[in-house]
Amino acid sequence: MSILSGKNILLGITAGIAAYKTASLVRLFIKAGANVKVVMTPASKDFITPLTLSTLSKNPVYSTFTNEEDDNAMWNNHVELGLWADFFVIAPATANTMSKMANGTCDNLLLATYLSAKCPVYFAPAMDLDMYKHDSTKHSFEKLKSFGNVMIPATSGELASGLVGEGRMAEPEDIIAFVEKDILGKLPLRGKKILITAGPTYEAIDPVRFIGNHSSGKMGFEIAKAAANLGAEVILVSGPSSQHVNQSMITVERVKSAQDMYDEVHKHFNTCDIAILSAAVADYRPKNVATQKIKKKESTFTIELEKTKDILKSLGAIKKQQFLVGFALETNNELEHAKGKLAAKNLDLIVLNSLNDKGAGFGGSTNKVTFITASHDIFAHELKSKTEVAQDLMQQILKQTHA
Ligand code: CTP
């Protein structure tokens, strides 16, 4: 799956003949799973129609601050458009537009959006060879790069003028490949391996019954997605859960019991850089598992339980370079208990959730957590979606590991 999947791409089109290729570019972004909106300079509409682009992108196309033909026209908010974008790709970028971008000129919607956008900006120049070589154009390239914008260099070939040389806009496939590679290369957890546990464990009583708990696995799956989005290779060891994920960077290993989870986790721990254990592992399991279904006889029935292995503690005992994160679900004396677990299990960070907080803990889609570091720094967070909690956790880990 492409790193662009689920991302918001704002495509800026300026008035060069290469604009005709942006129909393919929009298609390829959509095929990669991105959401696409298009902002055009008014003059670029001579080269490709907004209708084509809105049909392909499945979104309205913006080129003016208001729609002049409509008396009730709404203002096209360039700030919102800029904030919506995860990435702004300007292709083709003409000498004229680049010069304006370099100098802060703001005489159309595309330029106003450029000045408001906070996201990474890519520009793919396209022009005739002498224009491309001109000192003024080179000056624009350098200035834009100094702003942190990323240039997708033009290639050599036959140009619209009939001349042959440098100035052809990179082909749509190459633009996509360039952007994907650039994004991946800049992700802070690129090259790191992260081990995550999620969900409950089921401890068999007999062939049809088990002891389990209400953990849904949501929190662990969200952490896996947040880590993969930062470029990490993720091994997600999950107990029985209805959660699914389809991301090339995430390998899901499904297990049932605490012992299965212990074995699977230990297969991967040596080679991982970070381990985050969010699973709700059973602390006890039936000492003897009946091989046949247990028949009801007496009015009471007792199952003898024995302790399971504490997976997190076992990792704390053998960890070397790994950054180890645990969870603590508490009902009373929360901070004290969490700090106790942090020390007892030799952790670098513990995520505390209290069952006294409404919206925290099992099942739901929200959580309210407090991070406690090994040096007892405490970061309390508001009630948030589990997606946001996972992102906060990854940011906390990045901060502590200086990744
Ligand atoms: N954990 C684990 N293996 C176990 C039990 C717990 O890896 N057999 C991990 C959990 O994934 C979690 C952390 O340990 O990251 C804390 O789990 P929790 O149940 O809150 O704490 P316990 O140490 O089991 O203590 P208690 O149940 O007494 O509060």
Side-chain angles (χ1 to χ4, degrees):
M1 200 173 61
S2 167
I3 186 76
L4 296 173
S5 174
K7 296 285 186 298
N8 293 339
I9 307 286
L10 182 61
L11 177 62
I13 303 177
T14 71
I17 180 63
Y20 84 89
K21 294 185 181 175
T22 55
S24 309
L25 191 53
V26 171
R27 286 276 301 132
L28 291 171
F29 275 130
I30 297 273
K31 219 172 135 193
N35 309 306
V36 181
K37 288 188 182 176
V38 175
V39 58
M40 310 175 76
T41 59
S44 70
K45 292 195 255 178
D46 289 336
F47 297 95
I48 183 154
T49 71
L51 182 62
T52 304
L53 296 163
S54 63
T55 308
L56 292 172
S57 66
K58 301 182 184 75
N59 272 314
V61 167
Y62 308 90
S63 62
T64 51
F65 288 96
T66 57
N67 181 353
E68 283 133 27
E69 284 126 48
D70 180 355
D71 289 342
N72 299 314
M74 299 275 288
W75 179 53
N76 286 328
N77 188 334
H78 55 90
V79 178
E80 256 173 33
L81 210 49
L83 290 180
W84 172 85
D86 294 314
F87 301 99
F88 190 8
V89 180
I90 302 173
T94 58
N96 182 41
T97 291
M98 284 186 294
S99 165
K100 289 178 178 179
M101 285 160 65
N103 289 291
T105 307
C106 184
D107 61 2
N108 63 42
L109 184 67
L110 186 148
L111 289 163
T113 308
Y114 169 71
L115 288 177
S116 329
K118 292 194 177 133
C119 63
V121 176
Y122 295 86
F123 61 100
M127 67 200 73
D128 214 55
L129 75 164
D130 292 319
M131 294 170 76
Y132 197 79
K133 276 193 225 141
H134 199 281
D135 281 347
S136 165
T137 312
K138 283 190 197 151
H139 177 72
S140 297
F141 293 160
E142 292 317 311
K143 203 122 185 237
L144 293 179
K145 286 190 217 164
S146 77
F147 298 160
N149 301 166
V150 182
M151 177 162 153
I152 306 174
T155 59
S156 275
E158 193 178 334
L159 302 164
S161 61
L163 298 173
V164 176
E166 213 175 8
R168 273 171 72 102
M169 184 180 82
E171 291 301 324
E173 292 79 4
D174 298 330
I175 291 179
I176 302 267
F178 184 101
V179 172
E180 284 176 334
K181 191 165 171 229
D182 188 74
I183 295 170
L184 279 169
K186 286 176 181 162
L187 291 174
L189 291 178
R190 184 99 187 117
K192 300 277 184 213
K193 189 166 159 188
I194 304 202
L195 177 62
I196 296 167
T197 66
T201 61
Y202 286 181
E203 309 304 324
I205 297 170
D206 69 13
V208 293
R209 302 182 181 93
F210 60 84
I211 297 173
N213 61 65
H214 291 298
S215 168
S216 63
K218 259 185 210 153
M219 195 63 246
F221 274 71
E222 288 301 335
I223 297 169
K225 286 184 227 167
N229 285 339
L230 293 172
E233 179 198 341
V234 177
I235 308 287
L236 175 59
V237 181
S238 175
S241 160
S242 59
Q243 298 291 309
H244 287 279
V245 64
N246 182 17
Q247 245 170 283
S248 60
M249 298 296 279
I250 304 176
T251 306
V252 184
E253 302 289 356
R254 304 256 176 200
V255 295
K256 263 201 183 135
S257 66
Q259 184 62 45
D260 297 342
M261 190 174 274
Y262 179 95
D263 293 340
E264 194 60 43
V265 161
H266 276 270
K267 267 191 218 165
H268 304 281
F269 186 64
N270 264 342
T271 55
C272 83
D273 302 284
I274 298 167
I276 306 169
L277 273 64
S278 72
V281 187
D283 288 328
Y284 291 93
R285 65 178 175 203
K287 193 166 180 192
N288 300 303
V289 181
T291 51
Q292 306 289 332
K293 185 181 170 206
I294 299 169
K295 291 286 179 198
K296 65 170 175 290
K297 282 182 221 133
E298 315 300 329
S299 60
T300 60
F301 179 68
T302 306
I303 303 173
E304 193 182 351
L305 301 177
E306 65 180 4
K307 261 193 178 164
T308 56
K309 287 180 194 153
D310 188 321
I311 307 170
L312 184 57
K313 196 169 182 184
S314 72
L315 300 185
I318 59 168
K319 80 168 185 191
K320 292 184 189 110
Q321 81 293 348
Q322 294 94 338
F323 187 89
L324 189 56
V325 184
F327 272 67
L329 179 64
E330 305 294 342
T331 54
N332 59 307
N333 286 342
E334 292 94 335
L335 274 178
E336 226 171 278
H337 282 139
K339 281 182 190 168
K341 284 177 191 173
L342 182 89
K345 302 192 188 194
N346 192 23
L347 310 181
D348 298 289
L349 178 68
I350 194 155
V351 182
L352 162 67
N353 36 141
S354 162
L355 271 192
N356 293 324
D357 287 324
K358 236 178 143 195
F362 283 173
S365 56
T366 56
N367 209 350
K368 187 169 185 307
V369 297
T370 301
F371 300 144
I372 308 167
T373 69
S375 47
H376 287 185
D377 289 327
I378 295 173
F379 303 94
H381 288 260
E382 296 300 308
L383 181 73
K384 293 186 182 183
S385 72
K386 285 186 174 170
T387 311
E388 289 170 301
V389 172
Q391 288 162 355
D392 286 347
L393 174 59
M394 293 317 301
Q395 288 310 316
Q396 177 68 33
I397 293 171
L398 285 178
K399 207 161 72 181
Q400 283 185 245
T401 56
H402 310 292

